[in-house]
Amino acid sequence: MNKIKYIAIFIVLLLLGAISSYADIKFDNSYDRFLEAFENSEAKFKFYSMKANVPIEYDINSDEIKSICIELMSNLGMEESNVKIEDKWNKEEKQIYLQAKDEDTSISIIGIKKSSSESYIMVDILDNKVYKNIVDIYAILENNLNKYSQEVEIYTCIAGEYGKKLQIDKYDDILNKILYNMNAEVIDKVQEENFLSITAYSKVLKENYLECFGNKINLNIGIRYSEDDEKTLIYIATPIIKLDY
């Protein structure tokens, strides 16, 4: 009887592992397509931005928040010697702020306590060297922040540039190529002279979406001409662009 019990437990564990592996593969594939969409735009990589936010709904103290932030900064690959910590913890303000920079990457992590049942960890990453590590960085953020809540929000944006002013019909060509690659349907479109912005729903990224006026959106593309730089800039984000552009 015990033998059957152990076999049953083993089968359940195998199934759980298979489900977890399937979810990881599914996520990797969706982000691989996201990176492929950027590459198909033929823009020169400029930077990527990743922002994360997680609520903590229990009474947490300053040492716990600081420990969470330091561990996350370390897991994101920042050396302790490069990390600056600012601690403001008094009756008026309860906040831990960490910042770290190296040659190509800037990371800031803020832990804020608003009440005994409402605290937040917010992460802001900017990298201007490589973008193909986005899948790994996303996994680190998700795995670390999911320890404290299942309501983790992560926003990813890749920015690129073209070394000249593009004609408006070229904007549409780039947009259509990305939408095709991402199997996406346009939900809203704003087009002006030298500017194009669309929100869309991609079947590839369907696990990561927001709801807006009754529609699901998980893909945001912005293209604009910068007169100051004399370049055309492109932003591809999921689920939306969280930058001023």
Side-chain angles (χ1 to χ4, degrees):
M1 189 71 178
N2 284 337
K3 186 176 180 181
I4 295 173
K5 180 180 177 182
Y6 290 138
I7 291 172
I9 292 171
F10 179 70
I11 291 171
V12 169
L13 290 173
L14 280 177
L15 289 172
L16 288 174
I19 292 169
S20 175
S21 297
Y22 173 74
D24 290 342
I25 292 169
K26 192 174 182 182
F27 166 74
D28 287 348
N29 287 342
S30 68
Y31 255 56
D32 283 342
R33 288 279 291 275
F34 181 70
L35 298 181
E36 186 180 323
F38 173 75
E39 290 168 357
N40 286 344
S41 74
E42 299 180 0
K44 179 183 177 183
F45 173 68
K46 189 174 178 65
F47 66 83
Y48 83 74
S49 167
M50 192 172 286
K51 298 177 184 289
N53 176 65
V54 63
I56 298 176
E57 298 176 347
Y58 62 87
D59 193 6
I60 192 168
N61 61 41
S62 62
D63 289 338
E64 289 175 307
I65 283 188
K66 186 183 290 185
S67 177
I68 291 169
C69 295
I70 290 173
E71 180 185 18
L72 182 54
M73 189 69 84
S74 175
N75 289 341
L76 288 168
M78 283 297 182
E79 297 291 336
E80 187 177 347
S81 58
N82 291 334
V83 180
K84 296 180 180 179
I85 303 177
E86 187 176 339
D87 189 335
K88 294 181 180 179
W89 205 270
N90 50 57
K91 289 183 178 180
E92 289 74 34
E93 188 176 14
K94 291 179 170 60
Q95 176 177 303
I96 307 292
Y97 177 70
L98 278 69
Q99 186 176 34
K101 290 183 179 181
D102 60 23
E103 187 177 350
D104 307 302
T105 309
S106 172
I107 302 175
S108 65
I109 303 176
I110 303 174
I112 298 176
K113 182 175 181 177
K114 293 190 173 184
S115 70
S116 60
S117 60
E118 185 183 8
S119 300
Y120 297 92
I121 302 293
M122 293 173 285
V123 185
D124 195 338
I125 302 171
L126 186 67
D127 191 307
N128 59 19
K129 180 66 178 289
V130 296
Y131 63 89
K132 292 191 176 182
N133 64 342
I134 284 178
V135 173
D136 295 333
I137 298 299
Y138 188 107
I140 290 169
L141 289 174
E142 189 174 52
N143 291 338
N144 279 262
L145 298 179
N146 268 340
K147 297 175 187 176
Y148 311 102
S149 173
Q150 295 302 306
E151 298 178 24
V152 179
E153 296 179 346
I154 302 177
Y155 299 82
T156 304
C157 178
I158 306 178
E161 61 185 18
Y162 304 91
K164 61 181 181 179
K165 181 177 181 178
L166 301 181
Q167 298 299 317
I168 198 69
D169 59 342
K170 183 62 176 176
Y171 285 26
D172 289 325
D173 289 343
I174 295 168
L175 173 62
N176 290 332
K177 189 181 291 187
I178 295 170
L179 293 173
Y180 178 79
N181 184 267
M182 296 303 296
N183 194 6
E185 177 186 356
V186 174
I187 302 300
D188 187 49
K189 181 176 181 179
V190 177
Q191 189 162 354
E192 301 173 0
E193 185 179 2
N194 300 327
F195 177 80
L196 172 66
S197 176
I198 69 104
T199 53
Y201 180 72
S202 165
K203 293 181 180 178
V204 174
L205 298 165
K206 61 184 178 181
E207 302 300 325
N208 185 34
Y209 67 86
L210 301 175
E211 289 200 15
C212 183
F213 301 113
N215 293 307
K216 293 179 181 179
I217 57 172
N218 58 12
L219 183 64
N220 193 184
I221 304 165
I223 307 174
R224 71 173 180 86
Y225 175 67
S226 171
E227 292 183 354
D228 293 336
D229 299 326
E230 296 185 345
K231 293 179 180 179
T232 302
L233 306 176
I234 182 169
Y235 303 83
I236 306 175
T238 179
I240 60 171
I241 299 169
K242 294 275 280 187
L243 298 169
D244 292 331
Y245 70 100

